[in-house]
Amino acid sequence: MTADSAAPSGSRPPAGPRHVAIIMDGNGRWAKARGLPRAVGHREGVQALKRTIQAAPDLGIQCLTVFGFSTENWSRPPDEVSDLMGLVRTYVASDLARLEKAGVRLRVLGRREGLPADIAAIIERAEAQTAHNDRFLLQVAFNYGGRADLIDAARRHMQRMLAGETIEPIGEADITDGLATAGSPPLDLIIRTSGEQRLSNFLLWEAAYAELVFQDVLWPDYGPKALEEAVLIFRQRERRYGGRAVEPARVSA
Ligand code: IPE
Ligand code: IPE
Ligand code: MG
C-alpha cells in the first residue's frame, strides 16, 4: 500500500487558495431583470455575501476580501449611495454576532474620511469587537480604491522620512506593509461576478500574481456552489511567478 492510499481521504492540506478576493458585481442588473429597484438587488447581495462567507472556511480559505463600495461609487445617484451606506448598518447588525462567535476577525479596508460618522463608528466597533479572533479574516473594502491605498502607503513612508525615522528610499516591503491589507496572507485568487472582466481599482498591488476568475453569475445569485467552482478552477491553474513550469522529476537510468 502506498503512503498516498494509506492517507485517510481529506487528510491532505487543501491545495489553496488561502486568500480569495471577490468583486461582488451585478446587483443592479439582477434587480433590473426582475423589474425591481436596484436597492433590492443590493439587499439580496448582502444575503449572497453571508452565504459565501459561511462557505469559505470549508474550502480551506482563510481570508476573504470583498469589494463593497469603491472610491468611484460616490459618483452614483445620492439615493443609491445612501442605500449602499445603509447596508453596512444592516449587515453589521444582522451578522456581527455570528461572525464573532465563528472566530472571524473583521477588518474594513478603505478611507474612513468621507464616510458618514455613524458608519465609521459602526465599523470601528465591529473591528474592535472581533480583533481577538484569528480563525478567519474577513476584509470588507468600503470607500476603498487601490490607487488611494497606494498613495496612502507612499505618504506614510514619506512621513516617516520627514520625521527622521528612516532615510531609506521607498521599497517593496514599505508599500506591502503600508497598504490596508498589511498582514493578510498573499492574495491567491480574485473572482469577479456578472461577466465584467476588469479590476475597477481593486487591490491593484496585491493582484500582481493573483489568479483571475470571471464568473457569469450575478452577485445576488452567488453562493457556496459558485465559490467552490471558482476554487476548483483556481486549483487547475499553474502559477509560475515569472519562472518556469515545474517539470516532472527525471528518473535516472
Ligand atoms: C455591485 O453591483 C455592487 C456595487 C458596486 C456596490 P452593481 O450596483 O455595480 O450592479 P450592476 O453592475 O449595475 O449590475
Ligand atoms: C466595482 O463594481 C465595485 C464594487 C463591486 C463595489 P462597479 O460596478 O462599481 O465597477 P464598474 O463601474 O463596472 O467598473
Ligand atoms: Mg457594477
Side-chain angles (χ1 to χ4, degrees):
M1 195 185 267
T2 65
D4 261 354
S5 60
S9 68
S11 69
R12 286 187 194 186
R18 276 170 77 202
H19 183 175
V20 176
I22 308 182
I23 302 173
M24 311 181 288
D25 199 13
N27 295 352
R29 277 163 281 170
W30 183 94
K32 193 172 176 206
R34 288 162 179 76
L36 295 166
R38 291 177 68 87
V40 179
H42 294 316
R43 223 166 45 217
E44 286 304 311
V46 173
Q47 299 308 316
L49 175 60
K50 289 190 197 173
R51 292 193 292 272
T52 306
I53 293 167
Q54 291 205 37
D58 288 342
L59 291 164
I61 298 167
Q62 296 164 16
C63 174
L64 189 65
T65 304
V66 295
F67 206 1
F69 190 89
S70 76
T71 45
E72 289 74 35
N73 287 146
W74 291 106
S75 66
R76 296 194 180 195
D79 60 333
E80 184 170 0
V81 168
S82 123
D83 285 340
L84 290 166
M85 293 290 145
L87 291 181
V88 176
R89 295 186 195 100
T90 322
Y91 176 64
V92 170
S94 72
D95 218 24
L96 186 66
R98 194 195 63 77
L99 294 181
E100 198 187 353
K101 239 175 64 202
V104 177
R105 176 179 164 215
L106 174 68
R107 168 144 94 150
V108 179
L109 317 177
R111 287 187 179 160
R112 295 295 148 86
E113 316 91 77
L115 290 178
D118 74 306
I119 303 282
I122 287 172
I123 289 172
E124 244 151 68
R125 259 202 320 273
E127 286 186 332
Q129 211 173 312
T130 61
H132 58 282
N133 280 339
D134 58 7
R135 217 177 298 158
F136 189 88
L137 177 62
L138 172 64
Q139 304 188 112
V140 179
F142 200 81
N143 193 23
Y144 171 91
R147 287 183 173 179
D149 203 28
L150 278 162
I151 289 168
D152 289 348
R155 283 184 183 158
R156 249 172 239 135
H157 184 79
M158 206 175 66
Q159 273 154 6
R160 289 183 54 224
M161 283 182 109
L162 290 173
E165 289 169 30
T166 179
I167 51 162
E168 292 297 317
I170 194 161
E172 198 166 312
D174 299 308
I175 300 274
T176 302
D177 299 339
L179 294 173
T181 53
S184 61
L187 182 58
D188 295 308
L189 167 64
I190 297 179
I191 296 167
R192 184 169 187 147
T193 61
S194 89
E196 307 292 357
Q197 303 194 356
R198 54 179 168 267
L199 289 179
S200 300
N201 202 12
F202 192 40
L203 302 175
L204 298 180
W205 177 271
E206 298 87 336
Y209 272 103
E211 295 295 323
L212 308 180
V213 170
F214 301 104
Q215 293 178 288
D216 273 334
V217 52
L218 299 171
W219 178 250
D221 291 326
Y222 209 80
K225 246 187 102 187
L227 182 64
E228 185 180 13
E229 183 190 290
V231 164
L232 294 178
I233 294 170
F234 169 89
R235 287 181 185 160
Q236 283 162 10
R237 300 272 176 90
E238 185 178 36
R239 302 178 83 186
R240 292 194 286 274
Y241 300 96
R244 283 175 43 173
V246 181
E247 287 164 27
R250 282 213 199 127
V251 182
S252 51

